Amino acid sequence: MELTADKIKELVVKPENKVYTKTPLLTDKTLSYCPGCGHGVAHRILMELVEEMGLENDTIGIAPVGCSVLAYEFMNVDMQEAAHGRAPALATAIKRLWPNKFVFSYQGDGDLAAIGGNETLHTCNRGENITIIFINNGIYGMTGGQMAPTTIPGMRTSTSPYGRDVQMMGYPLKMTEIVAMLPGTYYVSRQAVYSAKHVRKAKKAIKKAIEAQLEGKGTSFVEIVSNCNSGWKMTPVKANQWLEENMLDYYHLGDIKVDGKLVKEIV
Amino acid sequence: MAKKVQGYIEIDKERCKGCELCVVACPKDIIRMSKDVNAKGYHYAEFFNPEPCVGCADCAVVCPDGVITVYRARIEV
Amino acid sequence: MGELRLMKGNEAFAEAVIRAGADGYFGYPITPQSEVIEYLMAEKPYERTGMVVLQAESELAAINMLYGGAGTGKKVVTSSSSPGISLMMEGISYMAGAELPCVLMNVQRGGPGLGTIQPSQSDYFQATKGGGHGDYRLLVLAPASVQEMSDFVPLAFDLAFKYRNPVMILSDGVIGQMMEKVELFDSIPRWTDEEVIEKNGDWATVGKRPGKERNIITSLDLDPYSMEKHNHDLFAKYQKMEEEEVRWEEINTEDAEYFIVAYGSASRISQKAIELARAEGIKVGLIRPITLYPYPYKVLQEKVEKGAKGFLTVELNMGQMIEDVKLAVKDNSKVEFFGHVGGVIPTPEEVVEALKTKIIGG
């Protein structure tokens, strides 16, 4: 029997053989993100976990201000859109008022590390039993590619057009390492989504974060080092290469705090 | 007759934004960008050679827009 | 008769919050209202009723905790004083935009800037005309006694949920700090989770209910026509408030030729001024707006139609409510202002003198 493309399709494309498709916990709306943007992957693995862990009816998510301001349009669960940087404050109250719900905030680097730095620190320091998903692409995407607190030294943005000069503009802020130092955090990890291997790892990390919350352990925090093709002015494929070659030297991947204990030397 | 693991993917071409990440992710190099464009004007991803596909789902896992559905079965050859 | 206690205004408010069945208080200490959170922390409402009390890291965090909490469909409340309320304005605008119920207490102090910790009524514009960005209104209640610091709490929650709108109780440092006898109302049980879902499950973040649409709380709408419609819908709601929720009190107005218009602590002083003026034979009455938004314009207009000879507004500011009095009276009668600022409290004698010089003799 010769295996033509049509024959393979006929033999394989059957409902019982489906091994991967978009979770129904993502709506059918076209994502507002640029082609190749890591936000879409991060949204998907988070919602896959909500589905797989049976949390669809017990999840409340907080969308930030920034590129993912419309996350509530795509994540098909109860959602609230926060004021810029204040998602952890919203999450704090929601979790305290609905202690049996899974409550997460989904925030970018400007939202979480700049304008919302204080809320991030204090929420983690109180050990609020919530999960924070932090997308770090080193730039302000929504407003057109300006410097973020997380922009790495030398990186060009529209407000650091000659590259980030740390003497003049300060150093990139490693919020994830900072929150890992706080006694309120239970699980802190930095992941990436630029390859299939990394996406699968990131999903495992987010699962651990969710489990920590369900067990009432305190704040769980997962950073995802991501790309910004438009802001970085690269093709998606080039951007992912650049991320791997440049961002990861500064933002080391892996778990930083597990079961409430630091598992990595913080540098 | 021998058995083999055969994969197959379906790409929702109208929702594809042509980022090419699936092309890079595919270990079998059996996805390419189409010459045609979809209604949004993107050159969409095209599954052009099913035979080597093992249904590893790497393409779907990296797809930011969730446009790839993956099938996998053991078939007789 | 309910339980009688001698309490500070701030304490009466805090006790009323617990008794009103509130689910969460989120606040940050600031003079002259820190007794609110101190009372709540000492009283342990989390043991009495299950209510959450949390000291936030800032007013920004507190108001956004309120925003999140209000989104859950539960009863949430915060309190602050003028500079803190300024910090909260962004979150208040979001709540007005997202149509969320909540209760906000402002125990006003003098400004601008860090100003003074002394009493003031200089946040009238901020409270009644918006305050934050965008076109919106808060429903504003002005207590004039420790009793009303208590009574207005359940009223504020009722109005907040009736209209799905933030309600501000605009008090001041005099009312917050003074001690009076207060008759406390009987406790209203907190809603059970099931009751919250039944009452507010159609809009609140209660967790997606099987077979029903999920809920989204947002103030964002990028479609101009849809955003315009949202603004119109908000204003239809405010129109309804203007028709149904105007509250005021009149004292000695039946035969009055002159009127003092004052709210909150200024109305207490004015009440004494009226006694003094009446003793001198001046026919003056007091109109005390209880809702500052919606404002009792019609009440004032009726006095004008009946031949009022003049209105003196008395405020602890440079003259803010006088603009609303002028909107009502127009050029059909005399409208003048008297007040002090910076924490200086007008005396009843000064008010009588102002009445004589600015309205009667002026």
Side-chain angles (χ1 to χ4, degrees):
Chain A
M1 185 175 65
E2 197 192 339
L3 276 177
T4 62
D6 287 345
K7 187 69 188 170
I8 291 172
K9 186 175 180 185
E10 186 193 320
L11 288 170
V12 178
V13 179
K14 295 173 182 170
E16 64 270 27
N17 294 336
K18 194 184 279 185
V19 290
Y20 200 100
T21 194
K22 180 172 79 74
T23 166
L25 290 191
L26 284 176
T27 64
D28 289 330
K29 286 189 178 153
T30 302
L31 294 174
S32 50
Y33 307 110
C34 304
C37 176
H39 270 306
V41 179
H43 281 30
R44 200 183 65 238
I45 56 179
L46 176 59
M47 285 299 108
E48 282 173 1
L49 285 164
V50 170
E51 185 195 8
E52 288 161 17
M53 296 170 84
L55 297 169
E56 176 176 357
N57 300 317
D58 294 301
T59 295
I60 299 171
I62 322 291
V65 169
C67 284
S68 47
V69 66
L70 290 171
Y72 62 81
E73 293 276 354
F74 313 124
M75 298 184 188
N76 194 4
V77 290
D78 273 11
M79 296 280 290
Q80 182 164 359
E81 196 285 310
H84 202 10
R86 318 295 171 222
L90 274 74
T92 292
I94 293 170
K95 183 67 181 186
R96 284 182 181 239
L97 292 167
W98 288 125
N100 297 324
K101 302 291 178 196
F102 165 59
V103 178
F104 71 88
S105 72
Y106 183 99
Q107 304 173 258
D109 41 39
D111 193 85
L112 180 140
I115 192 167
N118 206 38
E119 281 74 14
T120 305
L121 287 183
H122 285 273
T123 299
C124 290
N125 197 46
R126 285 192 303 267
E128 297 293 343
N129 193 32
I130 62 162
T131 300
I132 296 174
I133 307 295
F134 168 36
I135 309 296
N136 172 14
N137 57 15
I139 204 163
Y140 288 174
M142 165 69 90
T143 45
Q146 294 84 8
M147 187 177 71
T150 49
T151 297
I152 60 174
M155 183 173 166
R156 286 168 195 253
T157 70
S158 68
T159 51
S160 58
Y162 309 108
R164 182 175 191 155
D165 174 354
V166 294
Q167 294 305 317
M168 178 182 161
M169 301 160 181
Y171 291 87
L173 193 55
K174 295 183 180 179
M175 281 303 273
T176 305
E177 276 79 357
I178 293 171
V179 303
M181 304 284 282
L182 303 174
T185 51
Y186 183 76
Y187 176 67
V188 179
S189 186
R190 180 183 286 117
Q191 301 290 330
V193 290
Y194 66 89
S195 78
K197 183 182 83 179
H198 288 93
V199 175
R200 290 188 173 104
K201 271 182 143 174
K203 187 171 170 183
K204 279 188 189 138
I206 296 174
K207 185 173 186 187
K208 266 194 207 167
I210 297 174
E211 284 167 350
Q213 182 180 152
L214 297 181
E215 290 164 15
K217 300 289 193 183
T219 312
S220 48
F221 187 106
V222 179
E223 172 182 339
I224 293 175
V225 181
S226 189
N227 54 14
C228 180
N229 320 308
S230 300
W232 296 358
K233 305 191 194 314
M234 297 175 196
T235 65
V237 172
K238 278 266 164 57
N240 278 352
Q241 284 168 358
W242 190 88
L243 182 158
E244 189 174 18
E245 289 161 12
N246 297 278
M247 296 275 281
L248 302 186
D249 283 346
Y250 206 86
Y251 298 113
H252 300 171
L253 300 184
D255 286 348
I256 299 171
K257 195 175 193 181
V258 178
D259 296 342
K261 292 188 188 74
L262 289 172
V263 293
K264 195 179 252 184
E265 194 187 353
I266 288 178
V267 285
Chain B
M1 269 214 222
K3 287 204 167 194
K4 74 168 269 206
V5 174
Q6 178 65 56
Y8 195 90
I9 65 168
E10 286 182 334
I11 298 168
D12 183 346
K13 70 173 191 182
E14 287 308 324
R15 292 180 56 241
C16 174
K17 291 178 184 162
C19 71
E20 302 188 31
L21 295 185
C22 56
V23 175
V24 177
C26 177
K28 305 285 184 188
D29 294 327
I30 50 180
I31 307 174
R32 68 184 172 202
M33 302 315 291
S34 67
K35 290 205 172 66
D36 294 336
V37 293
N38 62 18
K40 290 235 166 76
Y42 293 117
H43 293 283
Y44 49 87
E46 213 172 45
F47 181 48
F48 67 94
N49 180 17
E51 203 276 326
C53 181
V54 292
C56 71
D58 281 6
C59 54
V61 165
V62 298
C63 175
D65 293 280
V67 307
I68 301 175
T69 299
V70 183
Y71 298 87
R72 185 167 61 224
R74 288 180 70 82
I75 60 169
E76 293 181 345
V77 288
Chain C
M1 184 141 192
E3 187 185 343
L4 287 178
R5 275 203 227 167
L6 181 68
M7 299 180 98
K8 275 190 170 191
N10 289 335
E11 294 167 346
F13 169 76
E15 176 62 28
V17 161
I18 303 172
R19 288 178 181 238
D23 297 293
Y25 172 93
F26 305 90
Y28 186 76
I30 181 173
T31 307
Q33 65 78 55
S34 297
E35 293 86 354
V36 175
I37 190 166
E38 287 171 351
Y39 184 95
L40 289 173
M41 285 299 188
E43 201 54 33
K44 298 186 187 174
Y46 38 91
E47 288 177 6
R48 258 175 74 178
T49 68
M51 172 185 157
V52 171
V53 187
L54 184 60
Q55 179 171 331
E57 63 270 31
S58 68
E59 286 89 351
L60 284 181
I63 198 66
N64 283 284
M65 288 172 184
L66 214 66
Y67 177 40
T72 67
K74 299 197 178 196
K75 291 182 180 176
V76 290
V77 51
T78 189
S79 62
S80 188
S81 179
S82 308
I85 296 288
S86 291
L87 272 170
M88 291 183 174
M89 275 300 154
E90 181 198 33
I92 294 172
S93 169
Y94 273 65
M95 280 192 273
E99 296 194 83
L100 295 183
C102 68
V103 175
L104 316 159
M105 162 64 83
N106 181 0
V107 183
Q108 295 171 89
R109 55 189 259 186
L114 200 51
T116 168
I117 59 170
Q118 300 295 328
S120 171
Q121 294 182 319
S122 49
D123 303 345
Y124 179 90
F125 285 151
Q126 185 195 50
T128 62
K129 311 299 179 192
H133 61 283
D135 277 324
Y136 73 89
R137 291 288 184 273
L138 305 177
L139 216 147
V140 184
L141 297 166
S145 61
V146 174
Q147 186 65 52
E148 287 184 341
M149 288 290 273
S150 166
D151 292 347
F152 283 3
V153 175
L155 171 64
F157 274 122
D158 288 348
L159 292 169
F161 278 88
K162 180 177 176 186
Y163 291 97
R164 273 182 58 195
N165 204 69
V167 175
M168 177 172 278
I169 302 176
L170 189 67
S171 185
D172 62 61
V174 175
I175 307 291
Q177 289 297 326
M178 73 182 181
M179 290 187 96
E180 282 185 316
K181 184 180 74 178
V182 55
E183 184 186 347
L184 297 167
F185 57 88
D186 292 339
S187 289
I188 301 160
R190 283 178 55 231
W191 291 333
T192 62
D193 288 351
E194 292 71 28
E195 285 172 320
V196 171
I197 293 167
E198 191 195 321
K199 287 174 196 289
N200 304 320
D202 289 339
W203 58 267
T205 52
V206 299
K208 200 164 154 184
R209 296 162 303 161
K212 304 235 176 158
E213 282 291 299
R214 72 196 178 106
N215 290 323
I216 298 168
I217 308 281
T218 183
S219 58
L220 177 70
D221 195 336
L222 296 172
D223 176 63
Y225 295 99
S226 171
M227 193 66 208
E228 183 176 54
K229 181 181 181 302
H230 178 56
N231 272 270
H232 283 301
D233 290 346
L234 287 177
F235 270 72
K237 183 169 86 172
Y238 304 150
Q239 181 69 40
K240 189 161 184 269
M241 291 178 193
E242 288 174 12
E243 285 158 12
E244 295 182 11
E245 305 302 343
V246 177
R247 287 166 170 78
W248 74 98
E249 184 187 20
E250 296 185 36
I251 296 171
N252 291 342
T253 55
E254 297 81 11
D255 63 342
E257 297 172 344
Y258 303 101
F259 297 88
I260 293 176
V261 189
Y263 67 93
S265 57
S267 72
R268 297 286 290 265
I269 298 158
S270 301
Q271 205 174 326
K272 182 68 186 172
I274 284 168
E275 278 177 37
L276 298 177
R278 287 244 165 202
E280 295 183 35
I282 301 169
K283 287 185 176 175
V284 59
L286 173 69
I287 297 169
R288 173 170 81 96
I290 293 172
T291 51
L292 301 180
Y293 181 84
Y295 194 78
Y297 294 111
K298 280 184 190 157
V299 178
L300 300 179
Q301 282 156 4
E302 282 163 17
K303 305 301 178 201
V304 173
E305 284 158 20
K306 287 180 185 163
K309 291 180 178 172
F311 296 81
L312 180 72
T313 74
V314 179
E315 307 175 57
L316 274 64
N317 56 40
M318 294 300 289
Q320 297 192 16
M321 184 182 69
I322 188 174
E323 295 195 3
D324 281 319
V325 175
K326 284 181 173 171
L327 274 176
V329 174
K330 301 197 172 62
D331 291 332
N332 300 319
S333 188
K334 187 181 281 184
V335 178
E336 294 291 344
F337 164 78
F338 176 73
H340 274 299
V341 291
V344 181
I345 307 295
T347 65
E349 291 76 13
E350 284 180 310
V351 174
V352 174
E353 186 59 25
L355 182 68
K356 286 180 186 168
T357 55
K358 294 189 170 192
I359 300 288
I360 301 170

